[in-house]
Amino acid sequence: MPHRPRPEEALDFLRAELATGRSEMTEWTTRGAWLAFVSFGRRRFDTAPTPDSDGLLFQYGTYAFSGRPMFTVSLTRQFGVIDDDGEHDHYVQVHCELRYEPAPDLDALGRFDSWFFHDADAELDEWFTAMKGRLALLLGRRPSEIDLYEEPV
C-alpha cells in the first residue's frame, strides 16, 4: 500500500492544492477552489478502517457566523480520531469556506448539505459531479472572503 499522509497533515495538503497556480487568495474563483477540493478529496489519508473515519461534506446557505449575513459554501473534510484503545475519540474537520455578498439568486438556493464517506461503498466521482452541479451558479464568481481552518468537533 502506498504511503498515506496522516490527517494532521490535511490542512497543509489543502493549502497546497489551493495555492497551485495562484499567487494570492484574491485570485481564487469558486471553480479554482472547487477543483482544489476535488483533488484534496481524492487523496487518501491514514485513517481508521471504519466507514465514517474519512468523510467529505459539501454545504451551503446564508449564515451570519461572522456578524453579517453571507452566502457561504463550506467544503469540509472530516477525520475520525481514535484513542489509544482503538475507540472513537472525536472528529477533526478541515474547512475551506467561501463567502459571498448576499444576492437574491444566492438566497434562492436556500440551504443544502451532502456527505460522502470514502469507505462506505459510494462512488466519489458521482458525488463530485452532483455537488459541482449545485455550484453552477457560483463557478465563475470570486468569493468575497475565503477562510481555511481546522477544528476538533
Side-chain angles (χ1 to χ4, degrees):
M1 174 187 291
H3 167 74
R4 290 184 176 182
R6 296 172 302 131
E8 295 85 1
E9 300 171 90
L11 185 58
D12 290 335
F13 276 95
L14 179 56
R15 280 190 180 118
E17 289 293 344
L18 288 164
T20 302
R22 292 157 198 84
S23 61
E24 296 180 26
M25 289 175 102
T26 56
E27 294 179 17
W28 291 350
T29 62
T30 304
R31 181 182 315 279
W34 174 249
L35 293 174
F37 183 72
V38 168
S39 182
F40 172 67
R42 290 184 191 288
R43 179 179 294 277
R44 295 304 308 267
F45 288 82
D46 186 15
T47 57
T50 59
D52 67 345
S53 67
D54 188 356
L56 303 171
L57 172 61
F58 172 92
Q59 60 186 344
Y60 61 71
T62 300
Y63 306 101
F65 297 135
S66 62
R68 62 186 178 104
M70 300 279 288
F71 185 82
T72 303
V73 175
S74 181
L75 308 172
T76 303
R77 183 95 179 241
Q78 178 175 283
F79 298 103
V81 178
I82 57 172
D83 62 19
D84 292 335
D85 296 324
E87 299 295 323
H88 172 79
D89 187 55
H90 66 282
Y91 293 102
V92 172
Q93 292 183 339
V94 174
H95 298 271
C96 176
E97 288 185 358
L98 311 171
R99 297 185 198 105
Y100 307 83
E101 296 300 325
D105 59 342
L106 297 180
D107 290 339
L109 293 175
R111 293 182 178 183
F112 175 80
D113 66 82
S114 178
W115 281 95
F116 174 87
F117 290 94
H118 277 285
D119 295 317
D121 295 328
E123 287 296 323
L124 182 60
D125 288 335
E126 289 176 15
W127 187 80
F128 279 142
T129 298
M131 297 309 101
K132 183 179 179 185
R134 294 257 178 194
L135 280 176
L137 187 63
L138 293 164
L139 287 174
R141 294 187 190 189
R142 293 188 194 282
S144 299
E145 301 173 9
I146 298 174
D147 194 14
L148 301 175
Y149 63 96
E150 179 179 297
E151 68 176 342
V153 292

